[in-house]
Amino acid sequence: MTTLQERRRRTTEREISDAALRLFEQHGVDGTTVDDIAREAGVSARTVFRYAATKERAALVPHRDLEDRAEERLDSLDPAWPLLPQLEAMWRDLLAAFDDGRSDAGAQVLRLRRLMCAEPSLQLAAIGLDEERAAVLADRLAGLLDGDALTARVLVETAAAVLRTALDRWAQDHEAGRPTDLVATYDEACRRLRAVVA
């Protein structure tokens, strides 16, 4: 159960992230300072830095309820069965929660992916964050694979590449005025992976 202190922390984190994203959309990353984000969020610059190492990272704060869901799914991975389909099922479940951009988390991700196309520094920050998360996840999977770190990393990178491809395609389609279904796009990307490696 989430404590009151943790709920407050998550609220502050979300307010900072929303402020950063809003300002980036209005003024661009280069036209926005940490002080601007702090002012918009109603906190100090020091508080912003407590939650994010850079102004770009401030906009990349994940929705913690989905992070909690991912943790639950990761805890239930069964090493007796192929892990890639299990990872794909986990991502499919989380993408479904985005409700094609209609949920809070989905709207945030869609805005971020669209903005990343025009803001290289935001894209680089996202790549760096993805790399950190991939390393943590690979370490975790290696524990399920009797310490096989190479296979764990290949699994994580493969699943992540398909996920990023689907998210980018989804955002590009929205930007072009032809909204597509995110889960269907992800499923198609998974099918293409199978075709490539078959």
Side-chain angles (χ1 to χ4, degrees), residues 3-63:
T3 65
L4 178 60
Q5 182 180 9
E6 176 63 12
R7 285 198 300 274
R8 285 181 178 154
R9 192 187 72 75
R10 289 183 179 194
T11 298
T12 301
E13 187 177 55
R14 182 88 268 125
E15 288 169 351
I16 290 169
S17 182
D18 289 345
L21 182 53
R22 194 163 47 248
L23 289 170
F24 291 167
E25 288 173 327
Q26 293 169 359
H27 308 291
V29 174
D30 289 342
T32 302
T33 66
V34 170
D35 286 335
D36 294 333
I37 295 169
R39 237 185 335 272
E40 182 81 5
V43 298
S44 68
R46 186 175 169 188
T47 299
V48 173
F49 281 124
R50 200 172 329 144
Y51 286 90
T54 66
K55 63 182 179 180
E56 290 85 359
R57 286 282 182 107
L60 298 171
V61 171
H63 275 258

XYZ file of all heavy atoms in Angstrom, residues 3-63:
485
model
N 2.106 4.838 0.938
C 1.987 5.705 2.106
C 1.619 7.119 1.668
O 1.763 7.491 0.494
C 3.318 5.762 2.878
O 4.303 6.381 2.036
C 3.772 4.370 3.280
N 1.181 7.936 2.621
C 0.841 9.326 2.337
C 2.067 10.074 1.823
O 1.977 10.851 0.867
C 0.293 9.992 3.606
C -0.061 11.475 3.487
C -1.130 11.695 2.418
C -0.524 12.032 4.830
N 3.211 9.817 2.436
C 4.441 10.480 2.005
C 4.791 10.116 0.563
O 5.175 10.973 -0.236
C 5.586 10.087 2.937
C 6.902 10.781 2.593
C 8.023 10.372 3.540
O 7.868 9.451 4.338
N 9.139 11.056 3.456
N 4.615 8.845 0.217
C 4.899 8.401 -1.148
C 3.901 9.010 -2.139
O 4.275 9.406 -3.244
C 4.846 6.864 -1.216
C 5.036 6.284 -2.608
C 6.387 6.572 -3.228
O 7.309 7.029 -2.528
O 6.518 6.364 -4.454
N 2.632 9.113 -1.725
C 1.632 9.734 -2.607
C 1.969 11.199 -2.853
O 1.849 11.693 -3.976
C 0.227 9.598 -2.008
C -0.357 8.203 -2.129
C -1.863 8.188 -1.952
N -2.282 8.690 -0.660
C -2.378 7.952 0.440
N -2.056 6.669 0.408
N -2.786 8.472 1.571
N 2.422 11.900 -1.810
C 2.818 13.301 -1.979
C 4.024 13.417 -2.901
O 4.098 14.312 -3.741
C 3.139 13.916 -0.615
C 1.907 14.223 0.206
C 2.279 14.848 1.528
N 1.105 15.187 2.302
C 1.078 15.272 3.623
N 2.170 15.038 4.333
N -0.029 15.588 4.250
N 4.979 12.506 -2.718
C 6.171 12.513 -3.568
C 5.798 12.297 -5.031
O 6.277 12.980 -5.928
C 7.146 11.426 -3.105
C 8.520 11.526 -3.734
C 9.390 10.345 -3.369
N 8.968 9.138 -4.038
C 9.185 8.878 -5.326
N 9.825 9.736 -6.084
N 8.766 7.748 -5.859
N 4.889 11.361 -5.253
C 4.455 11.073 -6.620
C 3.693 12.253 -7.219
O 3.824 12.542 -8.416
C 3.584 9.815 -6.648
C 4.355 8.548 -6.388
C 3.480 7.319 -6.505
N 4.247 6.101 -6.282
C 3.827 4.882 -6.577
N 2.632 4.718 -7.093
N 4.582 3.831 -6.351
N 2.900 12.929 -6.395
C 2.163 14.106 -6.880
C 3.129 15.206 -7.296
O 2.978 15.812 -8.367
C 1.193 14.625 -5.793
O 0.234 13.602 -5.504
C 0.472 15.874 -6.255
N 4.120 15.473 -6.471
C 5.124 16.498 -6.802
C 5.872 16.112 -8.073
O 6.082 16.948 -8.966
C 6.115 16.676 -5.634
O 5.397 17.056 -4.470
C 7.162 17.731 -5.963
N 6.261 14.870 -8.159
C 6.976 14.369 -9.340
C 6.137 14.568 -10.602
O 6.621 15.029 -11.633
C 7.277 12.891 -9.120
C 8.149 12.250 -10.157
C 8.435 10.800 -9.799
O 7.474 10.028 -9.588
O 9.621 10.441 -9.740
N 4.853 14.252 -10.497
C 3.952 14.387 -11.641
C 3.776 15.863 -12.020
O 3.747 16.222 -13.204
C 2.596 13.770 -11.271
C 1.561 13.783 -12.324
C 1.623 12.556 -13.214
N 2.457 12.787 -14.366
C 3.492 12.011 -14.709
N 3.832 10.973 -14.017
N 4.199 12.281 -15.764
N 3.638 16.750 -11.023
C 3.465 18.180 -11.301
C 4.701 18.752 -11.999
O 4.582 19.571 -12.918
C 3.172 18.935 -10.001
C 1.773 18.667 -9.470
C 1.551 19.180 -8.054
O 2.537 19.605 -7.385
O 0.394 19.134 -7.599
N 5.881 18.331 -11.571
C 7.119 18.786 -12.208
C 7.177 18.288 -13.649
O 7.503 19.037 -14.577
C 8.349 18.304 -11.412
C 8.422 19.051 -10.071
C 9.634 18.492 -12.216
C 9.437 18.475 -9.103
N 6.844 17.029 -13.847
C 6.879 16.446 -15.183
C 5.885 17.133 -16.114
O 6.213 17.464 -17.257
C 6.573 14.948 -15.103
O 6.651 14.359 -16.376
N 4.666 17.357 -15.628
C 3.644 18.033 -16.441
C 4.089 19.445 -16.802
O 3.889 19.895 -17.938
C 2.310 18.083 -15.693
C 1.643 16.723 -15.576
O 2.046 15.793 -16.314
O 0.733 16.578 -14.739
N 4.687 20.140 -15.845
C 5.162 21.509 -16.091
C 6.253 21.513 -17.156
O 6.246 22.341 -18.077
C 5.666 22.139 -14.798
N 7.201 20.589 -17.036
C 8.302 20.520 -18.004
C 7.779 20.235 -19.401
O 8.159 20.912 -20.369
C 9.302 19.447 -17.581
N 6.892 19.289 -19.512
C 6.354 18.924 -20.825
C 5.579 20.084 -21.441
O 5.735 20.403 -22.626
C 5.467 17.684 -20.689
C 4.854 17.119 -21.968
C 5.922 16.857 -23.034
C 4.081 15.847 -21.672
N 4.771 20.745 -20.627
C 3.981 21.891 -21.112
C 4.903 23.003 -21.623
O 4.696 23.563 -22.702
C 3.094 22.377 -19.961
C 1.997 23.320 -20.343
C 0.932 23.431 -19.264
N 1.451 23.628 -17.918
C 1.360 22.723 -16.930
N 0.810 21.552 -17.142
N 1.843 22.989 -15.736
N 5.935 23.322 -20.855
C 6.866 24.385 -21.252
C 7.678 23.993 -22.482
O 7.948 24.836 -23.350
C 7.791 24.735 -20.090
C 7.113 25.474 -18.930
C 8.049 25.545 -17.729
C 6.671 26.865 -19.342
N 8.066 22.745 -22.571
C 8.803 22.285 -23.757
C 7.941 22.424 -25.006
O 8.434 22.794 -26.076
C 9.244 20.828 -23.599
C 10.316 20.610 -22.563
C 10.620 19.325 -22.128
C 11.037 21.664 -22.020
C 11.610 19.099 -21.184
C 12.024 21.460 -21.061
C 12.309 20.168 -20.646
N 6.666 22.111 -24.873
C 5.759 22.244 -26.017
C 5.587 23.710 -26.419
O 5.489 24.034 -27.601
C 4.391 21.629 -25.686
C 4.405 20.115 -25.629
C 3.100 19.522 -25.144
O 2.416 20.146 -24.300
O 2.754 18.423 -25.603
N 5.548 24.593 -25.436
C 5.320 26.014 -25.705
C 6.576 26.748 -26.173
O 6.517 27.580 -27.071
C 4.774 26.703 -24.451
C 3.390 26.254 -24.057
C 2.977 26.756 -22.677
O 3.739 27.446 -21.982
N 1.775 26.402 -22.258
N 7.723 26.441 -25.552
C 8.941 27.229 -25.785
C 10.125 26.417 -26.297
O 11.187 26.998 -26.549
C 9.357 27.934 -24.482
C 8.261 28.725 -23.852
N 7.758 29.876 -24.412
C 7.555 28.516 -22.713
C 6.780 30.362 -23.635
N 6.637 29.545 -22.599
N 9.954 25.106 -26.420
C 11.068 24.252 -26.805
C 11.950 23.959 -25.605
O 11.890 24.658 -24.584
N 12.776 22.931 -25.727
C 13.669 22.558 -24.627
C 14.692 23.665 -24.395
O 14.951 24.069 -23.254
C 14.358 21.207 -24.918
C 15.392 20.890 -23.836
C 13.333 20.085 -25.009
N 15.291 24.170 -25.474
C 16.310 25.221 -25.331
C 15.739 26.509 -24.749
O 16.459 27.257 -24.079
C 16.968 25.525 -26.682
C 17.873 24.401 -27.151
O 18.261 23.560 -26.305
O 18.190 24.348 -28.348
N 14.468 26.758 -24.988
C 13.831 27.981 -24.494
C 13.260 27.855 -23.097
O 12.574 28.763 -22.619
N 13.535 26.737 -22.438
C 13.011 26.475 -21.096
C 14.169 26.220 -20.138
O 15.091 25.475 -20.459
C 12.092 25.237 -21.103
O 11.015 25.456 -22.024
C 11.518 24.959 -19.726
N 14.110 26.830 -18.963
C 15.130 26.608 -17.941
C 14.543 25.796 -16.783
O 13.317 25.677 -16.657
C 15.665 27.940 -17.382
O 14.595 28.591 -16.669
C 16.180 28.844 -18.496
N 15.415 25.306 -15.937
C 14.958 24.603 -14.729
C 14.161 25.564 -13.846
O 13.148 25.173 -13.244
C 16.150 24.003 -13.958
C 15.717 23.490 -12.588
C 16.788 22.876 -14.758
N 14.591 26.822 -13.785
C 13.842 27.817 -13.004
C 12.429 27.990 -13.558
O 11.467 28.157 -12.792
C 14.573 29.162 -13.001
C 15.803 29.148 -12.105
O 15.838 28.338 -11.165
O 16.726 29.945 -12.360
N 12.295 27.961 -14.881
C 10.968 28.056 -15.497
C 10.092 26.881 -15.061
O 8.913 27.057 -14.717
C 11.066 28.046 -17.025
C 11.757 29.271 -17.600
O 11.714 30.335 -16.952
O 12.342 29.149 -18.689
N 10.675 25.691 -15.098
C 9.921 24.491 -14.709
C 9.517 24.574 -13.242
O 8.373 24.272 -12.880
C 10.766 23.224 -14.972
C 11.014 23.059 -16.477
C 10.083 21.985 -14.397
C 12.045 22.002 -16.831
N 10.447 25.010 -12.404
C 10.161 25.132 -10.971
C 9.015 26.108 -10.729
O 8.088 25.813 -9.957
C 11.417 25.594 -10.238
N 9.087 27.264 -11.398
C 8.028 28.264 -11.249
C 6.672 27.712 -11.686
O 5.659 27.867 -11.006
C 8.375 29.500 -12.091
C 8.439 30.786 -11.296
C 8.664 32.037 -12.123
N 9.318 31.869 -13.396
C 10.638 31.888 -13.585
N 11.463 32.032 -12.559
N 11.150 31.757 -14.788
N 6.674 27.051 -12.837
C 5.423 26.497 -13.385
C 4.832 25.422 -12.466
O 3.614 25.315 -12.323
C 5.706 25.904 -14.777
C 4.513 25.336 -15.484
C 3.655 26.381 -16.176
O 4.026 27.576 -16.192
O 2.590 26.012 -16.692
N 5.715 24.651 -11.830
C 5.260 23.564 -10.947
C 4.993 24.040 -9.517
O 4.454 23.292 -8.702
C 6.292 22.443 -10.932
N 5.416 25.265 -9.212
C 5.210 25.791 -7.865
C 6.158 25.206 -6.837
O 5.793 25.043 -5.665
N 7.381 24.879 -7.279
C 8.393 24.333 -6.375
C 9.702 25.086 -6.599
O 9.788 25.955 -7.462
C 8.615 22.813 -6.615
C 7.334 22.035 -6.347
C 9.126 22.548 -8.021
N 10.718 24.740 -5.837
C 12.030 25.360 -6.014
C 12.818 24.609 -7.081
O 12.537 23.439 -7.373
C 12.813 25.343 -4.703
O 13.154 24.011 -4.358
N 13.829 25.269 -7.647
C 14.713 24.603 -8.606
C 15.402 23.420 -7.936
O 15.624 22.377 -8.564
C 15.736 25.594 -9.154
N 15.728 23.571 -6.677
C 16.363 22.477 -5.932
C 15.457 21.248 -5.888
O 15.920 20.115 -6.010
C 16.681 22.978 -4.525
C 17.460 22.011 -3.687
C 17.824 22.659 -2.375
N 18.336 21.666 -1.448
C 18.597 21.899 -0.199
N 18.408 23.095 0.311
N 19.063 20.953 0.574
N 14.165 21.486 -5.718
C 13.216 20.374 -5.705
C 13.163 19.696 -7.072
O 13.116 18.465 -7.158
C 11.810 20.860 -5.299
O 11.869 21.404 -3.980
C 10.793 19.735 -5.334
N 13.193 20.474 -8.138
C 13.212 19.892 -9.486
C 14.403 18.958 -9.620
O 14.270 17.817 -10.077
C 13.260 20.981 -10.578
C 13.456 20.358 -11.963
C 11.982 21.820 -10.565
N 15.582 19.418 -9.174
C 16.779 18.599 -9.287
C 16.744 17.377 -8.370
O 17.428 16.392 -8.620
C 18.035 19.436 -9.009
C 18.452 20.270 -10.177
C 18.588 21.645 -10.053
C 18.727 19.682 -11.407
C 18.990 22.425 -11.140
C 19.128 20.448 -12.498
C 19.258 21.820 -12.364
N 15.938 17.430 -7.323
C 15.800 16.265 -6.458
C 15.057 15.135 -7.185
O 15.270 13.960 -6.927
C 15.041 16.641 -5.182
C 15.267 15.661 -4.053
C 14.680 16.113 -2.747
N 14.656 17.555 -2.593
C 13.690 18.243 -1.984
N 12.669 17.611 -1.468
N 13.730 19.538 -1.874
N 14.199 15.526 -8.125
C 13.407 14.544 -8.863
C 13.992 14.207 -10.232
O 13.680 13.155 -10.793
C 11.974 15.056 -9.036
C 11.166 14.990 -7.770
C 11.151 16.060 -6.881
C 10.433 13.856 -7.448
C 10.424 16.004 -5.698
C 9.699 13.788 -6.276
C 9.695 14.873 -5.401
O 8.978 14.804 -4.233
N 14.803 15.094 -10.788
C 15.344 14.871 -12.126
C 16.725 15.508 -12.247
O 16.913 16.657 -11.843
C 14.397 15.462 -13.177
N 17.664 14.772 -12.813
C 19.039 15.262 -12.925
C 19.177 16.390 -13.946
O 20.072 17.225 -13.832
C 19.971 14.120 -13.307
N 18.289 16.420 -14.941
C 18.329 17.461 -15.972
C 16.917 17.921 -16.269
O 15.939 17.248 -15.906
C 18.949 16.927 -17.286
O 18.067 15.927 -17.839
C 20.331 16.323 -17.054
N 16.812 19.048 -16.964
C 15.470 19.540 -17.306
C 14.768 18.566 -18.252
O 13.551 18.373 -18.163
C 15.533 20.938 -17.909
C 16.288 21.055 -19.219
C 16.327 22.491 -19.705
C 17.112 22.630 -21.010
N 17.158 24.025 -21.483
N 15.543 17.910 -19.155
C 14.928 16.934 -20.059
C 14.362 15.756 -19.282
O 13.243 15.300 -19.553
C 15.961 16.434 -21.078
C 16.388 17.452 -22.110
C 17.526 18.362 -21.642
O 17.976 18.204 -20.482
O 17.962 19.213 -22.420
N 15.117 15.294 -18.293
C 14.654 14.164 -17.485
C 13.378 14.509 -16.702
O 12.591 13.627 -16.382
C 15.747 13.718 -16.513
C 16.907 12.967 -17.145
C 16.546 11.524 -17.441
N 17.649 10.789 -17.999
C 18.349 9.856 -17.343
N 18.057 9.576 -16.090
N 19.313 9.212 -17.942
N 13.211 15.788 -16.414
C 12.016 16.193 -15.668
C 10.739 15.835 -16.423
O 9.719 15.509 -15.813
C 12.054 17.697 -15.387
N 10.794 15.886 -17.754
C 9.607 15.573 -18.554
C 9.415 14.078 -18.749
O 8.371 13.637 -19.236
C 9.706 16.259 -19.920
N 10.407 13.280 -18.380
C 10.391 11.849 -18.673
C 10.021 10.983 -17.480
O 10.270 9.785 -17.471
C 11.772 11.424 -19.205
C 12.194 12.092 -20.511
C 13.648 11.771 -20.821
C 11.294 11.658 -21.654
N 9.424 11.596 -16.475
C 9.021 10.837 -15.288
C 7.869 9.905 -15.657
O 6.868 10.347 -16.216
C 8.577 11.799 -14.160
C 7.966 11.031 -13.013
C 9.766 12.622 -13.691
N 8.016 8.607 -15.393
C 6.943 7.666 -15.751
C 5.768 7.755 -14.792
O 5.890 8.300 -13.693
C 7.632 6.303 -15.630
C 8.675 6.523 -14.586
C 9.148 7.949 -14.756
N 4.645 7.233 -15.218
C 3.487 7.135 -14.326
C 3.743 5.978 -13.368
O 3.922 4.835 -13.794
C 2.202 6.918 -15.126
C 1.606 8.191 -15.602
N 0.533 8.779 -15.006
C 1.969 9.030 -16.604
C 0.232 9.915 -15.614
N 1.096 10.084 -16.595
